[in-house]
Amino acid sequence: AYEAAGASIQAAVNQAVRESEENGISKRGKEATPWLLRRVTELTGGKSLESNVALIENTAKIGGQIAVELSRLSEKSEDRSQVYRGVDLKVSSTSQPTIEDTNRPITQNASEQPKPKLVVIGASAIDITAQAQASSQSATHSTSSGSVTVTLGGVARNMAEAAHRSSGSRHETLLVSPVGDDAFATLLHQDMKAMGMRGDGLLHPTKLSGSNAVSRRTPVCNLVLDGEGSLVGGVADFEAMGTLNVNEVLSHIDPQNTRLVAIDGNVSPDLLTGIIDHNNRNGILTWFEPTSLLKCGNIFAAVRKEFEASPFPLPSSPIAYASPNTLELTRMYEMARNEELMSSSRWWKTIDAFGLDSSYQTQLARLAQLPVHHKSDGSETLSFLVQDGIAQMAVNLLPFFQHLVVKCGHRGVFLAFHAQSADSGSWQTDIAQRRQIAVTTRTGQLLVIKHFPPITISATEIVSTTGAGDSLVGTLLSNIHMSNGQTFKSPEMAERAMKHAQIAAVASLRSSKSVSTEILPMMSLE
């Protein structure tokens, strides 16, 4: 149909060009192109615009197919051992993931798929970045020479891909994310299929009917950078996240098989509350990834409901895991305090049961004196844990979150948790060498705080920081569900899992993609 319209559109173009020459528009520089586009649209009755939109969608589709094929070729040819240089783990150059042949098509029919053990809920997005050439002269209402790149993103999608790559299984991880019936959704499906990921959790609007019917577009983030790489502006279309309903999402969580559900901060507070209520009633662990300073507070509506339903202290917190960075941790602490969640009886009784006395404060002061790195001249220490209040804020948030994995950037990772199932004997030995403090609470639980040093990487090696944190979290998600929630039972297990996650994060720092194709299952690193 669009080919047939080509002749009439071309005639309109020719007429518009003649008119522009006659009325002098052609001599007005940058004003000429907008005038020509409007005139052609008028002459064709809008058919030219429809044809151009179809061309763009088809170009995106073809570009996506090309990107998928290139991805397949690159995954076959890349030397997987290179990304681990400088890391003190033995990696064989012949090590390969145990994932089945990712080039083999996988069915997208949910009824034919095994029930997932790990479900990741949140945003999948197409990231489009336009950067002007350094030498180009940018002007308002005009175009500049440069480059445009299209990559897959979205916090939930990134975490799901990292979990998929690090698990060694194609079926156990399911991404649940809203998409439209558009070319961008086709690109997502094709790329996920190429890497062996399940696609039956991508939620199309055509699957809904009646009162549940919605209009939905695949989320897109479009950024414009200047020649130096600085952000000029952009548009983020994530309206699809607001169209999700709780029944649509819960239909993908199987109480008999799903062990862990991870949710990113793009999910609305109401939907978060519904999912967490369902998980807690069915004994399913929940991991919350705050995503940003603006969205990290979305979790507290669910926390408040759980506290109101059970006002007395329980052995476990409403949320099993959360993974803020240091800024998000501070914001979450402030919000919990301002919303008076820290004034509740349950919070006070839980904190009191921790029984943190002067002995704990002495141990924390000693921990803060250690260097950030195992091998360091001591110029940078863990003093930020005390001076910036990281340890104190984390402990005060433990009544809400059983485990807090705090991403500290170049300073490593800080862990705080309380649990009954932890091996208290192993956690309470070699405290200084293992960078940890373990306290037996008044209720017989174990409260642990621990620091994991960073893996060193030079600034020149960093290609992109977009998906490093998501890669770390996704790899931990994989380890937790495969270990049946025993990842932090002992310091040895915790260190092994965190090392794997940090390697994944470093791999993504070195990659142009949000999640590196070099992320391997743990078994391949041993």
Side-chain angles (χ1 to χ4, degrees), residues 183-217:
F184 293 130
T186 301
L187 176 57
L188 274 170
H189 272 289
Q190 289 177 334
D191 200 77
M192 289 173 63
K193 183 177 180 180
M195 67 180 73
M197 290 181 66
R198 297 176 60 159
D200 51 300
L202 294 181
L203 307 178
H204 291 262
T206 51
K207 295 181 180 179
L208 301 174
S209 60
S211 61
N212 292 323
V214 295
S215 175
R216 185 178 286 168
R217 298 183 300 273

PDB file of all heavy atoms in Angstrom, residues 183-217:
ATOM      1  N   ALA A 183       6.822  -1.717  16.562  1.00  0.00           N
ATOM      2  CA  ALA A 183       8.106  -2.227  16.082  1.00  0.00           C
ATOM      3  C   ALA A 183       9.112  -2.371  17.219  1.00  0.00           C
ATOM      4  O   ALA A 183       9.977  -3.253  17.181  1.00  0.00           O
ATOM      5  CB  ALA A 183       8.656  -1.290  15.004  1.00  0.00           C
ATOM      6  N   PHE A 184       9.018  -1.513  18.241  1.00  0.00           N
ATOM      7  CA  PHE A 184       9.955  -1.608  19.358  1.00  0.00           C
ATOM      8  C   PHE A 184       9.736  -2.900  20.147  1.00  0.00           C
ATOM      9  O   PHE A 184      10.686  -3.512  20.634  1.00  0.00           O
ATOM     10  CB  PHE A 184       9.803  -0.388  20.270  1.00  0.00           C
ATOM     11  CG  PHE A 184      10.226   0.899  19.620  1.00  0.00           C
ATOM     12  CD1 PHE A 184       9.398   2.010  19.652  1.00  0.00           C
ATOM     13  CD2 PHE A 184      11.446   1.008  18.979  1.00  0.00           C
ATOM     14  CE1 PHE A 184       9.773   3.204  19.057  1.00  0.00           C
ATOM     15  CE2 PHE A 184      11.842   2.194  18.378  1.00  0.00           C
ATOM     16  CZ  PHE A 184      11.002   3.298  18.415  1.00  0.00           C
ATOM     17  N   ALA A 185       8.478  -3.318  20.285  1.00  0.00           N
ATOM     18  CA  ALA A 185       8.200  -4.592  20.957  1.00  0.00           C
ATOM     19  C   ALA A 185       8.758  -5.746  20.147  1.00  0.00           C
ATOM     20  O   ALA A 185       9.284  -6.726  20.700  1.00  0.00           O
ATOM     21  CB  ALA A 185       6.699  -4.761  21.159  1.00  0.00           C
ATOM     22  N   THR A 186       8.671  -5.654  18.821  1.00  0.00           N
ATOM     23  CA  THR A 186       9.238  -6.686  17.953  1.00  0.00           C
ATOM     24  C   THR A 186      10.738  -6.790  18.161  1.00  0.00           C
ATOM     25  O   THR A 186      11.302  -7.890  18.234  1.00  0.00           O
ATOM     26  CB  THR A 186       8.937  -6.365  16.477  1.00  0.00           C
ATOM     27  OG1 THR A 186       7.530  -6.303  16.290  1.00  0.00           O
ATOM     28  CG2 THR A 186       9.531  -7.423  15.558  1.00  0.00           C
ATOM     29  N   LEU A 187      11.399  -5.650  18.283  1.00  0.00           N
ATOM     30  CA  LEU A 187      12.841  -5.638  18.535  1.00  0.00           C
ATOM     31  C   LEU A 187      13.168  -6.322  19.858  1.00  0.00           C
ATOM     32  O   LEU A 187      14.124  -7.113  19.942  1.00  0.00           O
ATOM     33  CB  LEU A 187      13.348  -4.193  18.530  1.00  0.00           C
ATOM     34  CG  LEU A 187      14.827  -3.970  18.884  1.00  0.00           C
ATOM     35  CD1 LEU A 187      15.734  -4.758  17.949  1.00  0.00           C
ATOM     36  CD2 LEU A 187      15.157  -2.477  18.822  1.00  0.00           C
ATOM     37  N   LEU A 188      12.400  -6.026  20.906  1.00  0.00           N
ATOM     38  CA  LEU A 188      12.617  -6.674  22.199  1.00  0.00           C
ATOM     39  C   LEU A 188      12.475  -8.191  22.090  1.00  0.00           C
ATOM     40  O   LEU A 188      13.320  -8.943  22.571  1.00  0.00           O
ATOM     41  CB  LEU A 188      11.615  -6.143  23.229  1.00  0.00           C
ATOM     42  CG  LEU A 188      11.962  -4.862  23.987  1.00  0.00           C
ATOM     43  CD1 LEU A 188      10.757  -4.372  24.760  1.00  0.00           C
ATOM     44  CD2 LEU A 188      13.138  -5.106  24.920  1.00  0.00           C
ATOM     45  N   HIS A 189      11.400  -8.630  21.459  1.00  0.00           N
ATOM     46  CA  HIS A 189      11.169 -10.061  21.298  1.00  0.00           C
ATOM     47  C   HIS A 189      12.323 -10.728  20.550  1.00  0.00           C
ATOM     48  O   HIS A 189      12.819 -11.787  20.956  1.00  0.00           O
ATOM     49  CB  HIS A 189       9.856 -10.303  20.544  1.00  0.00           C
ATOM     50  CG  HIS A 189       8.652 -10.369  21.421  1.00  0.00           C
ATOM     51  ND1 HIS A 189       8.409 -11.430  22.275  1.00  0.00           N
ATOM     52  CD2 HIS A 189       7.612  -9.513  21.582  1.00  0.00           C
ATOM     53  CE1 HIS A 189       7.262 -11.217  22.918  1.00  0.00           C
ATOM     54  NE2 HIS A 189       6.764 -10.064  22.517  1.00  0.00           N
ATOM     55  N   GLN A 190      12.743 -10.120  19.454  1.00  0.00           N
ATOM     56  CA  GLN A 190      13.786 -10.719  18.627  1.00  0.00           C
ATOM     57  C   GLN A 190      15.106 -10.831  19.380  1.00  0.00           C
ATOM     58  O   GLN A 190      15.791 -11.864  19.318  1.00  0.00           O
ATOM     59  CB  GLN A 190      13.971  -9.901  17.353  1.00  0.00           C
ATOM     60  CG  GLN A 190      12.812 -10.020  16.373  1.00  0.00           C
ATOM     61  CD  GLN A 190      12.992  -9.140  15.155  1.00  0.00           C
ATOM     62  OE1 GLN A 190      13.674  -8.116  15.207  1.00  0.00           O
ATOM     63  NE2 GLN A 190      12.373  -9.517  14.052  1.00  0.00           N
ATOM     64  N   ASP A 191      15.468  -9.772  20.091  1.00  0.00           N
ATOM     65  CA  ASP A 191      16.745  -9.795  20.799  1.00  0.00           C
ATOM     66  C   ASP A 191      16.716 -10.772  21.974  1.00  0.00           C
ATOM     67  O   ASP A 191      17.692 -11.490  22.219  1.00  0.00           O
ATOM     68  CB  ASP A 191      17.105  -8.393  21.297  1.00  0.00           C
ATOM     69  CG  ASP A 191      18.585  -8.258  21.582  1.00  0.00           C
ATOM     70  OD1 ASP A 191      19.353  -8.126  20.615  1.00  0.00           O
ATOM     71  OD2 ASP A 191      18.964  -8.301  22.768  1.00  0.00           O
ATOM     72  N   MET A 192      15.611 -10.805  22.710  1.00  0.00           N
ATOM     73  CA  MET A 192      15.498 -11.751  23.823  1.00  0.00           C
ATOM     74  C   MET A 192      15.516 -13.188  23.316  1.00  0.00           C
ATOM     75  O   MET A 192      16.128 -14.075  23.921  1.00  0.00           O
ATOM     76  CB  MET A 192      14.222 -11.470  24.619  1.00  0.00           C
ATOM     77  CG  MET A 192      14.277 -10.190  25.428  1.00  0.00           C
ATOM     78  SD  MET A 192      12.700  -9.746  26.203  1.00  0.00           S
ATOM     79  CE  MET A 192      12.479 -11.141  27.312  1.00  0.00           C
ATOM     80  N   LYS A 193      14.867 -13.424  22.201  1.00  0.00           N
ATOM     81  CA  LYS A 193      14.856 -14.758  21.609  1.00  0.00           C
ATOM     82  C   LYS A 193      16.259 -15.167  21.191  1.00  0.00           C
ATOM     83  O   LYS A 193      16.677 -16.324  21.379  1.00  0.00           O
ATOM     84  CB  LYS A 193      13.911 -14.772  20.406  1.00  0.00           C
ATOM     85  CG  LYS A 193      13.756 -16.123  19.729  1.00  0.00           C
ATOM     86  CD  LYS A 193      12.735 -16.029  18.609  1.00  0.00           C
ATOM     87  CE  LYS A 193      12.557 -17.380  17.922  1.00  0.00           C
ATOM     88  NZ  LYS A 193      11.560 -17.289  16.811  1.00  0.00           N
ATOM     89  N   ALA A 194      17.025 -14.216  20.630  1.00  0.00           N
ATOM     90  CA  ALA A 194      18.376 -14.517  20.176  1.00  0.00           C
ATOM     91  C   ALA A 194      19.302 -14.916  21.320  1.00  0.00           C
ATOM     92  O   ALA A 194      20.189 -15.754  21.145  1.00  0.00           O
ATOM     93  CB  ALA A 194      18.955 -13.303  19.443  1.00  0.00           C
ATOM     94  N   MET A 195      19.092 -14.320  22.507  1.00  0.00           N
ATOM     95  CA  MET A 195      19.948 -14.657  23.638  1.00  0.00           C
ATOM     96  C   MET A 195      19.376 -15.790  24.492  1.00  0.00           C
ATOM     97  O   MET A 195      19.932 -16.153  25.518  1.00  0.00           O
ATOM     98  CB  MET A 195      20.211 -13.422  24.503  1.00  0.00           C
ATOM     99  CG  MET A 195      19.020 -12.872  25.239  1.00  0.00           C
ATOM    100  SD  MET A 195      19.442 -11.405  26.244  1.00  0.00           S
ATOM    101  CE  MET A 195      19.666 -10.168  24.960  1.00  0.00           C
ATOM    102  N   GLY A 196      18.249 -16.376  24.050  1.00  0.00           N
ATOM    103  CA  GLY A 196      17.694 -17.534  24.748  1.00  0.00           C
ATOM    104  C   GLY A 196      16.780 -17.202  25.895  1.00  0.00           C
ATOM    105  O   GLY A 196      16.425 -18.073  26.682  1.00  0.00           O
ATOM    106  N   MET A 197      16.366 -15.932  26.025  1.00  0.00           N
ATOM    107  CA  MET A 197      15.479 -15.543  27.118  1.00  0.00           C
ATOM    108  C   MET A 197      14.022 -15.830  26.772  1.00  0.00           C
ATOM    109  O   MET A 197      13.625 -15.806  25.606  1.00  0.00           O
ATOM    110  CB  MET A 197      15.641 -14.052  27.430  1.00  0.00           C
ATOM    111  CG  MET A 197      16.944 -13.670  28.064  1.00  0.00           C
ATOM    112  SD  MET A 197      17.026 -11.887  28.429  1.00  0.00           S
ATOM    113  CE  MET A 197      15.751 -11.726  29.707  1.00  0.00           C
ATOM    114  N   ARG A 198      13.237 -16.075  27.789  1.00  0.00           N
ATOM    115  CA  ARG A 198      11.795 -16.238  27.616  1.00  0.00           C
ATOM    116  C   ARG A 198      11.151 -14.900  27.271  1.00  0.00           C
ATOM    117  O   ARG A 198      11.542 -13.862  27.782  1.00  0.00           O
ATOM    118  CB  ARG A 198      11.167 -16.786  28.896  1.00  0.00           C
ATOM    119  CG  ARG A 198      11.657 -18.155  29.290  1.00  0.00           C
ATOM    120  CD  ARG A 198      11.088 -18.603  30.614  1.00  0.00           C
ATOM    121  NE  ARG A 198       9.627 -18.666  30.610  1.00  0.00           N
ATOM    122  CZ  ARG A 198       8.920 -19.384  31.468  1.00  0.00           C
ATOM    123  NH1 ARG A 198       9.533 -20.100  32.394  1.00  0.00           N
ATOM    124  NH2 ARG A 198       7.601 -19.398  31.416  1.00  0.00           N
ATOM    125  N   GLY A 199      10.137 -14.950  26.415  1.00  0.00           N
ATOM    126  CA  GLY A 199       9.426 -13.741  26.049  1.00  0.00           C
ATOM    127  C   GLY A 199       7.954 -13.778  26.387  1.00  0.00           C
ATOM    128  O   GLY A 199       7.212 -12.861  26.044  1.00  0.00           O
ATOM    129  N   ASP A 200       7.524 -14.852  27.089  1.00  0.00           N
ATOM    130  CA  ASP A 200       6.094 -14.986  27.363  1.00  0.00           C
ATOM    131  C   ASP A 200       5.614 -14.061  28.480  1.00  0.00           C
ATOM    132  O   ASP A 200       4.420 -14.014  28.774  1.00  0.00           O
ATOM    133  CB  ASP A 200       5.734 -16.436  27.698  1.00  0.00           C
ATOM    134  CG  ASP A 200       6.623 -17.035  28.784  1.00  0.00           C
ATOM    135  OD1 ASP A 200       7.843 -17.090  28.569  1.00  0.00           O
ATOM    136  OD2 ASP A 200       6.099 -17.456  29.825  1.00  0.00           O
ATOM    137  N   GLY A 201       6.539 -13.287  29.081  1.00  0.00           N
ATOM    138  CA  GLY A 201       6.131 -12.329  30.106  1.00  0.00           C
ATOM    139  C   GLY A 201       6.024 -10.905  29.582  1.00  0.00           C
ATOM    140  O   GLY A 201       5.713  -9.991  30.352  1.00  0.00           O
ATOM    141  N   LEU A 202       6.285 -10.694  28.282  1.00  0.00           N
ATOM    142  CA  LEU A 202       6.094  -9.369  27.693  1.00  0.00           C
ATOM    143  C   LEU A 202       4.600  -9.166  27.468  1.00  0.00           C
ATOM    144  O   LEU A 202       3.971  -9.915  26.721  1.00  0.00           O
ATOM    145  CB  LEU A 202       6.872  -9.253  26.384  1.00  0.00           C
ATOM    146  CG  LEU A 202       8.402  -9.314  26.505  1.00  0.00           C
ATOM    147  CD1 LEU A 202       9.061  -9.157  25.146  1.00  0.00           C
ATOM    148  CD2 LEU A 202       8.922  -8.254  27.473  1.00  0.00           C
ATOM    149  N   LEU A 203       4.032  -8.177  28.112  1.00  0.00           N
ATOM    150  CA  LEU A 203       2.582  -8.014  28.180  1.00  0.00           C
ATOM    151  C   LEU A 203       2.085  -7.039  27.125  1.00  0.00           C
ATOM    152  O   LEU A 203       2.253  -5.817  27.235  1.00  0.00           O
ATOM    153  CB  LEU A 203       2.188  -7.529  29.578  1.00  0.00           C
ATOM    154  CG  LEU A 203       2.722  -8.395  30.739  1.00  0.00           C
ATOM    155  CD1 LEU A 203       2.318  -7.786  32.082  1.00  0.00           C
ATOM    156  CD2 LEU A 203       2.228  -9.821  30.626  1.00  0.00           C
ATOM    157  N   HIS A 204       1.457  -7.570  26.081  1.00  0.00           N
ATOM    158  CA  HIS A 204       0.911  -6.771  24.986  1.00  0.00           C
ATOM    159  C   HIS A 204      -0.516  -6.324  25.315  1.00  0.00           C
ATOM    160  O   HIS A 204      -1.276  -7.066  25.941  1.00  0.00           O
ATOM    161  CB  HIS A 204       0.903  -7.578  23.689  1.00  0.00           C
ATOM    162  CG  HIS A 204       2.263  -7.854  23.146  1.00  0.00           C
ATOM    163  ND1 HIS A 204       2.827  -7.101  22.137  1.00  0.00           N
ATOM    164  CD2 HIS A 204       3.181  -8.798  23.470  1.00  0.00           C
ATOM    165  CE1 HIS A 204       4.034  -7.570  21.863  1.00  0.00           C
ATOM    166  NE2 HIS A 204       4.270  -8.595  22.650  1.00  0.00           N
ATOM    167  N   PRO A 205      -0.914  -5.139  24.850  1.00  0.00           N
ATOM    168  CA  PRO A 205      -2.281  -4.680  25.132  1.00  0.00           C
ATOM    169  C   PRO A 205      -3.339  -5.546  24.460  1.00  0.00           C
ATOM    170  O   PRO A 205      -4.473  -5.616  24.930  1.00  0.00           O
ATOM    171  CB  PRO A 205      -2.295  -3.250  24.582  1.00  0.00           C
ATOM    172  CG  PRO A 205      -1.177  -3.207  23.584  1.00  0.00           C
ATOM    173  CD  PRO A 205      -0.129  -4.127  24.124  1.00  0.00           C
ATOM    174  N   THR A 206      -2.993  -6.225  23.363  1.00  0.00           N
ATOM    175  CA  THR A 206      -3.973  -7.052  22.654  1.00  0.00           C
ATOM    176  C   THR A 206      -4.392  -8.272  23.459  1.00  0.00           C
ATOM    177  O   THR A 206      -5.381  -8.925  23.141  1.00  0.00           O
ATOM    178  CB  THR A 206      -3.402  -7.521  21.310  1.00  0.00           C
ATOM    179  OG1 THR A 206      -2.107  -8.107  21.519  1.00  0.00           O
ATOM    180  CG2 THR A 206      -3.275  -6.365  20.341  1.00  0.00           C
ATOM    181  N   LYS A 207      -3.625  -8.594  24.516  1.00  0.00           N
ATOM    182  CA  LYS A 207      -3.974  -9.735  25.358  1.00  0.00           C
ATOM    183  C   LYS A 207      -5.052  -9.378  26.373  1.00  0.00           C
ATOM    184  O   LYS A 207      -5.559 -10.252  27.082  1.00  0.00           O
ATOM    185  CB  LYS A 207      -2.728 -10.257  26.083  1.00  0.00           C
ATOM    186  CG  LYS A 207      -1.670 -10.846  25.146  1.00  0.00           C
ATOM    187  CD  LYS A 207      -0.479 -11.361  25.919  1.00  0.00           C
ATOM    188  CE  LYS A 207       0.577 -11.941  24.986  1.00  0.00           C
ATOM    189  NZ  LYS A 207       1.760 -12.438  25.733  1.00  0.00           N
ATOM    190  N   LEU A 208      -5.383  -8.083  26.471  1.00  0.00           N
ATOM    191  CA  LEU A 208      -6.385  -7.633  27.423  1.00  0.00           C
ATOM    192  C   LEU A 208      -7.690  -7.320  26.688  1.00  0.00           C
ATOM    193  O   LEU A 208      -7.682  -6.905  25.536  1.00  0.00           O
ATOM    194  CB  LEU A 208      -5.896  -6.376  28.153  1.00  0.00           C
ATOM    195  CG  LEU A 208      -4.587  -6.522  28.940  1.00  0.00           C
ATOM    196  CD1 LEU A 208      -4.158  -5.172  29.477  1.00  0.00           C
ATOM    197  CD2 LEU A 208      -4.745  -7.524  30.068  1.00  0.00           C
ATOM    198  N   SER A 209      -8.790  -7.515  27.357  1.00  0.00           N
ATOM    199  CA  SER A 209     -10.082  -7.256  26.728  1.00  0.00           C
ATOM    200  C   SER A 209     -11.055  -6.694  27.752  1.00  0.00           C
ATOM    201  O   SER A 209     -10.805  -6.726  28.960  1.00  0.00           O
ATOM    202  CB  SER A 209     -10.648  -8.546  26.115  1.00  0.00           C
ATOM    203  OG  SER A 209     -10.829  -9.541  27.121  1.00  0.00           O
ATOM    204  N   GLY A 210     -12.189  -6.201  27.262  1.00  0.00           N
ATOM    205  CA  GLY A 210     -13.223  -5.693  28.152  1.00  0.00           C
ATOM    206  C   GLY A 210     -12.746  -4.513  28.968  1.00  0.00           C
ATOM    207  O   GLY A 210     -12.090  -3.595  28.466  1.00  0.00           O
ATOM    208  N   SER A 211     -13.045  -4.532  30.272  1.00  0.00           N
ATOM    209  CA  SER A 211     -12.688  -3.416  31.152  1.00  0.00           C
ATOM    210  C   SER A 211     -11.178  -3.315  31.367  1.00  0.00           C
ATOM    211  O   SER A 211     -10.686  -2.285  31.837  1.00  0.00           O
ATOM    212  CB  SER A 211     -13.385  -3.570  32.506  1.00  0.00           C
ATOM    213  OG  SER A 211     -12.973  -4.783  33.138  1.00  0.00           O
ATOM    214  N   ASN A 212     -10.445  -4.398  31.046  1.00  0.00           N
ATOM    215  CA  ASN A 212      -8.987  -4.394  31.231  1.00  0.00           C
ATOM    216  C   ASN A 212      -8.249  -3.869  30.015  1.00  0.00           C
ATOM    217  O   ASN A 212      -7.019  -3.740  30.040  1.00  0.00           O
ATOM    218  CB  ASN A 212      -8.489  -5.805  31.541  1.00  0.00           C
ATOM    219  CG  ASN A 212      -8.954  -6.294  32.900  1.00  0.00           C
ATOM    220  OD1 ASN A 212      -9.031  -5.509  33.846  1.00  0.00           O
ATOM    221  ND2 ASN A 212      -9.288  -7.566  33.000  1.00  0.00           N
ATOM    222  N   ALA A 213      -8.957  -3.590  28.919  1.00  0.00           N
ATOM    223  CA  ALA A 213      -8.316  -3.143  27.685  1.00  0.00           C
ATOM    224  C   ALA A 213      -7.622  -1.794  27.908  1.00  0.00           C
ATOM    225  O   ALA A 213      -8.165  -0.892  28.548  1.00  0.00           O
ATOM    226  CB  ALA A 213      -9.348  -3.021  26.574  1.00  0.00           C
ATOM    227  N   VAL A 214      -6.407  -1.669  27.386  1.00  0.00           N
ATOM    228  CA  VAL A 214      -5.627  -0.448  27.546  1.00  0.00           C
ATOM    229  C   VAL A 214      -4.905  -0.126  26.244  1.00  0.00           C
ATOM    230  O   VAL A 214      -4.725  -0.986  25.385  1.00  0.00           O
ATOM    231  CB  VAL A 214      -4.568  -0.579  28.670  1.00  0.00           C
ATOM    232  CG1 VAL A 214      -5.210  -0.756  30.014  1.00  0.00           C
ATOM    233  CG2 VAL A 214      -3.603  -1.729  28.377  1.00  0.00           C
ATOM    234  N   SER A 215      -4.513   1.146  26.129  1.00  0.00           N
ATOM    235  CA  SER A 215      -3.624   1.563  25.053  1.00  0.00           C
ATOM    236  C   SER A 215      -2.219   1.598  25.629  1.00  0.00           C
ATOM    237  O   SER A 215      -2.000   2.173  26.693  1.00  0.00           O
ATOM    238  CB  SER A 215      -4.044   2.949  24.543  1.00  0.00           C
ATOM    239  OG  SER A 215      -3.131   3.404  23.581  1.00  0.00           O
ATOM    240  N   ARG A 216      -1.279   0.975  24.943  1.00  0.00           N
ATOM    241  CA  ARG A 216       0.046   0.804  25.542  1.00  0.00           C
ATOM    242  C   ARG A 216       1.129   0.916  24.465  1.00  0.00           C
ATOM    243  O   ARG A 216       1.016   0.329  23.396  1.00  0.00           O
ATOM    244  CB  ARG A 216       0.101  -0.558  26.229  1.00  0.00           C
ATOM    245  CG  ARG A 216       1.369  -0.844  26.999  1.00  0.00           C
ATOM    246  CD  ARG A 216       1.254  -2.213  27.676  1.00  0.00           C
ATOM    247  NE  ARG A 216       0.350  -2.191  28.826  1.00  0.00           N
ATOM    248  CZ  ARG A 216      -0.103  -3.278  29.440  1.00  0.00           C
ATOM    249  NH1 ARG A 216       0.249  -4.480  28.998  1.00  0.00           N
ATOM    250  NH2 ARG A 216      -0.915  -3.170  30.471  1.00  0.00           N
ATOM    251  N   ARG A 217       2.169   1.697  24.762  1.00  0.00           N
ATOM    252  CA  ARG A 217       3.333   1.806  23.875  1.00  0.00           C
ATOM    253  C   ARG A 217       4.552   1.217  24.575  1.00  0.00           C
ATOM    254  O   ARG A 217       4.692   1.343  25.795  1.00  0.00           O
ATOM    255  CB  ARG A 217       3.622   3.276  23.537  1.00  0.00           C
ATOM    256  CG  ARG A 217       2.522   3.989  22.791  1.00  0.00           C
ATOM    257  CD  ARG A 217       2.941   5.427  22.451  1.00  0.00           C
ATOM    258  NE  ARG A 217       3.239   6.205  23.642  1.00  0.00           N
ATOM    259  CZ  ARG A 217       2.326   6.874  24.351  1.00  0.00           C
ATOM    260  NH1 ARG A 217       1.044   6.831  24.000  1.00  0.00           N
ATOM    261  NH2 ARG A 217       2.677   7.570  25.419  1.00  0.00           N
TER     262      ARG A 217
END
